[in-house]
C-alpha cells in the first residue's frame, strides 16, 4: 500500500485566519500529488502538482510540493465559513494507474 | 454535459444479498476507480481499471467485484462476502496528467 498521511486530521479556526494543511507521501513511483475539497458528497478538484517547488494558486488557496522531503502543503488565507470541508490529498503512481488518498483533514471555519 | 454519474444515490441491502452500484462517465477517460469512505477513514481504494477488460485490486478488494466491458462503465458489486458493507461509495475517472473527476456517491446501508 502506498501511504499518504495528512495532518492535522481536524482543525477549527475563526474566519480570517490562515491555515496550512499537510500531506506526506511515500516515494514509490511517484507521478503527481492531488488536492481535493469535499463538502458533502463529490470531492472537487483543487490542484495537481508534479514539479517540486512550483506553487500553484487559485484565489485564496495555494499549494506547493517538495519532492525531496516528500510532502505538500495546502494554504488557505483569509478563511471563510465556505471553506469548511474535508480536504483530501492523493498521489498517483508513475508505474501504475493506482490513485491513493489520505484520511483527509476536516476544516471547520467558525464566524 | 460531460460528467460522471453514480446510481442510485441511496441503496439498502439485506444481509446475504449482492448489490450492484452503477458508475457511468462520458468524459472519455481511460481510468476509472472505486473508493469506499467511512467516517474518519478518508478514501480507501477498492478497484481500479485503466483500460477496457482489465482491472486491478486496490487496498480493500475483498468482498467486492467489478467489470469493465465498456470504457464508459465500471459497475461495482458488493457481495455477501463483504461483512461490513455499510459505507459511502465514490466512483472516479480520469487521465493521469489531467486530473480526476468524482461522482456524487452512493450511500449503501445494510438493513
Amino acid at each position: 500500500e502506498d501511504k499518504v498521511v495528512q495532518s492535522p486530521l481536524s482543525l477549527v479556526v475563526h474566519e480570517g485566519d490562515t491555515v496550512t494543511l499537510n500531506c506526506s507521501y511515500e516515494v514509490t513511483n511517484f507521478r503527481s500529488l492531488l488536492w481535493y475539497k469535499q463538502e458533502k458528497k463529490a470531492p472537487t478538484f483543487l490542484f495537481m502538482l508534479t514539479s517540486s517547488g512550483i506553487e500553484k494558486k487559485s484565489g485564496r488557496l495555494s499549494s506547493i510540493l517538495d519532492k525531496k522531503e516528500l510532502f505538500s502543503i495546502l494554504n488557505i488565507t483569509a478563511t471563510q465559513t465556505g471553506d469548511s470541508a474535508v480536504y483530501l490529498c492523493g498521489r498517483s503512481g508513475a508505474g501504475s494507474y493506482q490513485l491513493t488518498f489520505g484520511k483527509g483533514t476536516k476544516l471547520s471555519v467558525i464566524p | 454535459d460531460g460528467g460522471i454519474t453514480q446510481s442510485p444515490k441511496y441503496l439498502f441491502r439485506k444481509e446475504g444479498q449482492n448489490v450492484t452500484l452503477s458508475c457511468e462517465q462520458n468524459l472519455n477517460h481511460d481510468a476509472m476507480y472505486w473508493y469506499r469512505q467511512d467516517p474518519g477513514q478518508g478514501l480507501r481504494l477498492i478497484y481500479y481499471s485503466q483500460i477496457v477488460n482489465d482491472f486491478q485490486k486496490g487496498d480493500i478488494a475483498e468482498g467486492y467485484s467489478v467489470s469493465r466491458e465498456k470504457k464508459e462503465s465500471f459497475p461495482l458489486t458488493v457481495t455477501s462476502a463483504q461483512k461490513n458493507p455499510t459505507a459511502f461509495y465514490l466512483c472516479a475517472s480520469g487521465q493521469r496528467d489531467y486530473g480526476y473527476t468524482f461522482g456524487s456517491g452512493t450511500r449503501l446501508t445494510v438493513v
Side-chain angles (χ1 to χ4, degrees):
Chain A
E1 179 180 341
D2 294 321
K3 287 188 177 178
V4 176
V5 179
Q6 293 187 245
S7 64
L9 293 180
S10 65
L11 187 59
V12 181
V13 301
H14 287 94
E15 268 191 317
D17 288 350
T18 294
V19 298
T20 298
L21 309 183
N22 303 294
C23 175
S24 64
Y25 62 93
E26 293 184 348
V27 73
T28 311
N29 290 322
F30 174 83
R31 188 178 186 97
S32 63
L33 192 290
L34 302 109
W35 285 98
Y36 284 80
K37 177 183 181 181
Q38 185 181 26
E39 291 180 82
K40 288 185 178 177
K41 292 188 175 179
T44 55
F45 176 79
L46 295 175
F47 300 110
M48 182 167 70
L49 303 140
T50 55
S51 300
S52 195
I54 298 176
E55 185 181 46
K56 292 211 171 180
K57 292 194 72 169
S58 177
R60 296 177 294 103
L61 278 66
S62 64
S63 184
I64 196 162
L65 176 67
D66 186 326
K67 290 171 80 171
K68 182 178 177 184
E69 299 298 330
L70 308 181
F71 78 90
S72 174
I73 60 172
L74 175 68
N75 277 322
I76 308 174
T77 60
T79 51
Q80 302 171 358
T81 54
D83 295 325
S84 296
V86 174
Y87 290 84
L88 296 163
C89 173
R91 69 171 289 282
S92 71
S96 81
Y97 278 69
Q98 188 161 358
L99 176 61
T100 305
F101 285 87
K103 293 186 176 185
T105 294
K106 183 177 180 180
L107 174 66
S108 300
V109 182
I110 55 177
Chain B
D1 287 336
I4 180 166
T5 302
Q6 289 187 241
S7 63
K9 290 189 179 349
Y10 300 94
L11 186 57
F12 297 90
R13 190 194 97 170
K14 292 183 180 178
E15 298 266 2
Q17 274 186 339
N18 292 356
V19 291
T20 297
L21 283 60
S22 170
C23 179
E24 303 275 336
Q25 55 101 356
N26 60 5
L27 299 165
N28 200 34
H29 286 162
D30 291 326
M32 296 188 74
Y33 303 82
W34 274 106
Y35 294 91
R36 170 177 172 144
Q37 188 172 35
D38 297 282
Q41 293 293 323
L43 302 184
R44 292 189 289 169
L45 182 62
I46 305 173
Y47 271 98
Y48 64 102
S49 168
Q50 61 195 65
I51 197 170
V52 174
N53 292 325
D54 186 54
F55 46 82
Q56 309 295 327
K57 291 182 179 180
D59 301 317
I60 56 164
E62 186 175 350
Y64 300 96
S65 66
V66 293
S67 63
R68 187 89 185 274
E69 297 177 0
K70 299 185 300 181
K71 187 175 185 178
E72 301 81 16
S73 179
F74 192 41
L76 173 74
T77 296
V78 184
T79 74
S80 57
Q82 171 48 241
K83 297 307 177 189
N84 184 23
T86 294
F88 186 55
Y89 292 86
L90 281 163
C91 179
S93 70
Q95 305 283 92
R96 279 197 299 189
D97 295 328
Y98 299 98
Y100 302 85
T101 302
F102 282 86
S104 295
T106 293
R107 188 164 299 278
L108 173 64
T109 303
V110 173
V111 296

